[in-house]
Amino acid sequence: MHKHGGDIYSNTYKIDFSANINPLGIPENVCRAAAQAVEQCASYPDTEYRGLRAGIAKKEGVDEDEIICGNGAAELIFAITAALRPKKALLVVPGFAEYEQALRTQDCEVLFHELKEEQGFTLTEEYLEALTPDLDLIFLCNPNNPTGCLIPRELLAAILEKCRSLQIRAVVDSCFLDFLKEREEVDLSGELQAHPELFLLKAFTKTYAMAGLRLGYGLCADRALLQQMRQCIQPWSVSIPAQAAGCAALKEEAYVEEARAMIFEERERLKQELRVFGLKVYNSRANYIFFRGPEDLGESCAAEGFLLRDCSNYRGLEAGFYRIAVRRPEENAALLGVLEQYYRKNHQR
């Protein structure tokens, strides 16, 4: 149930390519802010996380009352399903496992819209036909995890319009948004007022490499829904160090731009090199690459200390599908060296 990337505790490793976080690592100022905040931990955290909400509101251009924070984005996935208690929901597969897990806790009937390999695992207009009046909730991830494929803005607009007309709640997971070249074009933060059915999910985890601090947030114009969600979360879920780290992270604009530039360049280089090995590489647009290769490739790389994300446990996928994070140039080069050794050994290049 909880098989994810980033499991460095079950493996001896050199470089972890299985977790899609910022390759620059956590910023020094964020580490410093979190460390200093530990001195305040004899007190309870601010349950209203006022400073953090003010910073997020400024960044996103929304009202502070349209923000909810949680112990990572995952907590908010469970909170919104607990608040809404949907009877029927629609998921795209392959997709992030926590959507289904959260829905199952509410005894929700879950329907699946399968992305097709022959279409590059991209969402098409066929999805609009799956939006029916009996649905209460949908989850979308843009760009999708694990494929990295982007939903075209025009299609996303049509989906939201149909959800509005059919009164279907739409959760759009945008946790990888900052690693898109098209970030401003596909960001939905400005659509909240026009679409009160929209809940936008974001996190500090990937952008600022803060996976261990656990900090996510949601944006929604429906304040009543946010209040319902707060009733489903324990009051102190966002710790004092996490709040301080979040406030510091929001100031790290140069750091984010540096990471974006590195990822854009390294992503294309990695894709080209992976294709040289004969791997089937899909159109990943985020800070990770989705591809298909030999079924034993992940195990072979792990033996050399390089962790790939084996995607065979995603619904709709099978053995041989992998996801790798885009990391620093020297780390990416090291992985390519391991792949070179694998193909020479197996005479498959």
Side-chain angles (χ1 to χ4, degrees):
M1 181 66 72
H2 294 290
K3 181 181 177 183
H4 295 287
D7 182 11
I8 61 173
Y9 308 101
S10 301
N11 304 277
T12 300
Y13 76 103
K14 296 177 183 176
I15 305 176
D16 180 16
F17 281 86
S18 70
N20 310 316
I21 64 171
N22 192 317
L24 296 180
I26 188 167
E28 288 184 15
N29 287 337
V30 174
C31 285
R32 190 176 300 113
Q36 291 175 349
V38 171
E39 298 176 3
Q40 305 170 36
C41 285
S43 302
Y44 285 100
D46 177 5
T47 58
E48 299 295 324
Y49 32 86
R50 295 170 178 85
L52 181 58
R53 273 198 302 146
I56 294 172
K58 182 178 179 180
K59 176 192 175 185
E60 298 287 356
V62 302
D63 291 339
E64 292 184 27
D65 289 343
E66 296 174 336
I67 300 168
I68 184 170
C69 294
N71 190 258
E75 180 175 53
L76 298 178
I77 292 170
F78 282 82
I80 194 168
T81 55
L84 293 174
R85 302 185 67 182
K87 299 300 181 184
K88 185 179 288 189
L90 178 66
L91 299 180
V92 169
V93 294
F96 190 49
E98 263 60 23
Y99 308 146
E100 181 179 353
Q101 184 185 356
L103 291 166
R104 297 293 187 195
T105 65
Q106 302 302 317
D107 295 323
C108 178
E109 179 184 355
V110 182
L111 306 181
F112 300 101
H113 180 84
E114 186 173 353
L115 301 176
K116 300 174 182 177
E117 185 178 2
E118 59 268 24
Q119 295 176 334
F121 292 104
T122 58
L123 194 69
T124 69
E125 291 186 356
E126 295 176 8
Y127 181 79
L128 292 171
E129 300 303 315
L131 299 177
T132 54
D134 58 335
L135 286 174
D136 300 306
L137 178 65
I138 65 169
F139 280 92
L140 291 173
C141 189
N142 198 33
N144 190 40
N145 179 10
T147 65
C149 296
L150 194 62
I151 304 172
R153 181 61 186 249
E154 297 77 12
L155 176 56
L156 195 53
I159 291 170
L160 290 181
E161 186 57 34
K162 190 163 185 180
C163 285
R164 187 190 62 79
S165 64
L166 296 179
Q167 296 185 320
I168 302 171
R169 294 279 188 179
V171 178
V172 178
D173 185 339
S174 300
C175 287
F176 297 101
L177 187 71
D178 283 323
F179 301 116
L180 290 174
K181 281 188 176 181
E182 309 89 342
R183 177 177 58 183
E184 286 74 21
E185 297 174 24
V186 299
D187 188 7
L188 296 175
S189 298
E191 301 292 328
L192 298 179
Q193 295 300 324
H195 291 281
E197 79 285 351
L198 171 64
F199 182 89
L200 202 55
L201 186 67
K202 297 193 177 186
F204 288 76
T205 305
K206 315 299 182 181
T207 304
Y208 304 103
M210 286 170 51
L213 277 167
R214 312 305 306 138
L215 182 58
Y217 62 98
L219 308 176
C220 185
D222 187 343
R223 292 168 170 79
L225 172 61
L226 297 185
Q227 185 56 34
Q228 285 178 280
M229 290 177 64
R230 291 187 184 99
Q231 299 303 314
C232 299
I233 300 174
Q234 63 104 346
W236 304 286
S237 70
V238 184
S239 70
I240 289 176
Q243 291 187 38
C247 290
L250 291 168
K251 301 173 184 177
E252 293 288 334
E253 296 179 6
Y255 157 90
V256 173
E257 291 307 313
E258 181 184 354
R260 280 166 53 84
M262 178 188 295
I263 288 166
F264 297 157
E265 182 174 346
E266 286 298 298
R267 182 176 61 206
E268 297 312 308
R269 183 172 76 90
L270 270 174
K271 283 183 178 180
Q272 292 175 13
E273 294 291 342
L274 292 175
R275 291 188 179 106
V276 170
F277 293 116
L279 298 168
K280 173 63 176 177
V281 180
Y282 296 91
N283 190 26
S284 304
R285 310 281 278 276
N287 61 325
Y288 49 89
I289 297 171
F290 181 65
F291 65 92
R292 189 168 196 173
E295 292 185 8
D296 67 339
L297 182 62
E299 192 174 297
S300 179
C301 288
E304 299 296 325
F306 291 73
L307 305 183
L308 314 186
R309 175 61 163 98
D310 178 353
C311 295
S312 60
N313 72 317
Y314 278 88
R315 187 183 290 273
L317 297 180
E318 58 190 13
F321 283 101
Y322 300 96
R323 189 195 69 200
I324 58 170
V326 178
R327 297 188 61 91
R328 294 173 180 266
E330 64 274 17
E331 295 173 317
N332 298 330
L335 174 63
L336 293 172
V338 170
L339 294 177
E340 177 74 29
Q341 292 176 13
Y342 171 88
Y343 279 96
R344 284 186 177 178
K345 179 180 178 181
N346 292 276
H347 306 287
Q348 293 180 7
R349 184 165 180 180

